[in-house]
Amino acid sequence: MQTVADRAAAPNAIRTYLGAIFVSLELSRSTWLITSLSPDGGEKMSKHAVRGGDVAGLLERFAQLRKKARARTGKIFPFVVIQEAGLDGFWIDRVLRQEGIESHVVDPASITTSRRRRRAKTDRIDGEALVRALLAYKRGEPRVCAMVKAPTPEEENRRRLCRERKVLIGERVRHVNRVKGLLFSQGIFGYEPLRPDQREQLDTLQTGDGRLLPDYLKAQVRRELDRLELLLEQIKAVEEHQGYRAGVRRHPLVGRAIPTLRQSTPGRFLRGPSSDPLAKWIGRSRTGRV
């Protein structure tokens, strides 16, 4: 799981002079919205859009912003960029850092919003709010937002096995429940799709009114069992992978193996204290941070 990035030990005084070009990125599959605030450009923020995934267009827009700021002030300013953690992952953050640009990824749930009235949800408003949060963060204001420390590609890759297993386990549960639900609708109780003799039992099952299992229903259950067996093979393959076994250790309280590679969504934090000894044992502190 991502952790809160390091910040300055002591908050700085509030500054009105901008020593950099502050930029927020609102990312979507089709469009990247760029909201920027430049030195000597007044309080009005400029907005531009580039095609989603167009890194060259993004960097070209940055060059144009720097050129305009230089024309106004005669100085060359660095960039400070912020974006929300989400489905886009961290590759854009890595690209910007490779270009020598200061980049931050923020937990969107940590940005304070007004509780007195309902706030509109648009890219324009969100982009401006991100820029204001970035300015406050760079001024050193406390608790303004929580920045996420981006994992390295190696760390991100190590999490794939635990995340894949979590998805496969969820699919297994859904298939088991679907089979039980189909049989329950016919008055059949106690059938366990994960038992070794699951297929043999189908030929002897009787409905609540004393009939044998209908042919079409039996065929549907068998197809569900086919999918379930495929999932079990995939789960076994993941658990036998060397990278997964290296990230699993045995819990002394419950006596079963649990994954210790962090599995949460990028940018998410565990909210509030936890009294669960299992949660604390795998590294979740009383403060709720990981």
Side-chain angles (χ1 to χ4, degrees):
M1 175 180 279
Q2 290 72 43
T3 57
V4 180
D6 296 334
R7 295 188 56 181
N12 300 322
I14 296 177
R15 299 187 300 268
T16 58
Y17 171 73
L18 297 179
I21 302 173
F22 291 85
V23 178
S24 72
L25 300 178
E26 279 288 315
L27 307 174
S28 67
R29 292 184 178 180
S30 59
T31 306
W32 289 355
L33 181 63
I34 306 168
T35 304
S36 62
L37 184 63
S38 301
D40 287 349
E43 297 182 357
K44 184 178 180 181
M45 302 184 190
S46 62
K47 299 174 180 62
H48 307 276
V50 298
R51 181 173 52 86
D54 186 6
V55 176
L58 177 66
L59 297 178
E60 181 181 357
R61 176 58 60 181
F62 282 4
Q64 294 174 2
L65 292 173
R66 175 174 284 167
K67 183 177 180 181
K68 291 180 180 179
R70 184 178 183 181
R72 287 193 301 264
T73 64
K75 299 179 181 179
I76 298 179
F77 294 94
F79 285 96
V80 183
V81 181
I82 187 172
Q83 60 175 299
E84 292 182 347
L87 297 177
D88 297 277
F90 298 97
W91 70 273
I92 301 174
D93 176 76
R94 297 189 188 107
V95 169
L96 295 177
R97 291 181 182 274
Q98 290 172 1
E99 295 293 330
I101 298 174
E102 180 180 347
S103 177
H104 298 276
V105 182
V106 65
D107 176 13
S110 69
I111 299 178
T112 57
T113 57
S114 175
R115 298 182 180 180
R116 291 185 174 272
R117 57 186 178 86
R118 194 181 287 268
R119 185 175 66 92
K121 175 69 175 178
T122 66
D123 287 343
R124 180 183 65 82
I125 297 177
D126 287 348
E128 294 177 358
L130 283 175
V131 172
R132 285 192 290 268
L134 180 59
L135 288 169
Y137 178 81
K138 294 298 291 183
R139 287 194 299 263
E141 297 183 17
R143 296 181 297 277
V144 64
C145 62
M147 295 298 181
V148 176
K149 184 177 180 181
T152 65
E154 293 74 19
E155 292 172 341
E156 201 170 23
N157 188 50
R158 284 198 300 268
R159 299 170 184 167
R160 298 296 176 191
L161 291 173
C162 285
R163 289 174 176 171
E164 182 184 2
R165 181 181 180 274
K166 183 178 180 180
V167 171
L168 293 174
I169 293 295
E171 293 181 4
R172 184 188 69 183
V173 171
R174 286 193 291 271
H175 282 291
V176 169
N177 291 340
R178 187 176 297 120
V179 170
K180 290 184 176 181
L182 291 171
L183 298 179
F184 182 80
S185 66
Q186 300 296 321
I188 299 175
F189 306 90
Y191 179 79
E192 294 296 335
L194 295 178
R195 290 184 55 176
D197 58 344
Q198 53 189 355
R199 294 184 180 272
E200 291 76 6
Q201 281 188 330
L202 288 178
D203 297 328
T204 61
L205 290 178
Q206 291 187 349
T207 63
D209 53 359
R211 295 177 293 108
L212 291 177
L213 200 63
D215 293 339
Y216 292 160
L217 178 58
K218 185 187 298 185
Q220 182 181 1
V221 172
R222 282 175 175 166
R223 286 190 290 271
E224 289 289 343
L225 294 178
D226 292 340
R227 301 185 188 101
L228 188 56
E229 289 174 355
L230 176 61
L231 282 172
L232 294 177
E233 293 177 1
Q234 293 177 344
I235 293 173
K236 182 179 179 181
V238 170
E239 292 177 342
E240 291 179 349
H241 195 281
Q242 182 178 1
Y244 176 82
R245 288 186 295 178
V248 173
R249 59 186 176 184
R250 189 159 296 277
H251 189 276
L253 298 180
V254 298
R256 60 183 177 88
I258 60 172
T260 60
L261 298 177
R262 307 294 171 80
Q263 304 177 14
S264 65
T265 306
R268 297 298 179 190
F269 298 87
L270 182 66
R271 300 293 178 185
S274 173
S275 59
D276 183 6
L278 177 60
K280 290 190 291 184
W281 190 83
I282 64 175
R284 289 172 175 164
S285 65
R286 293 289 297 175
T287 62
R289 297 291 184 185
V290 175

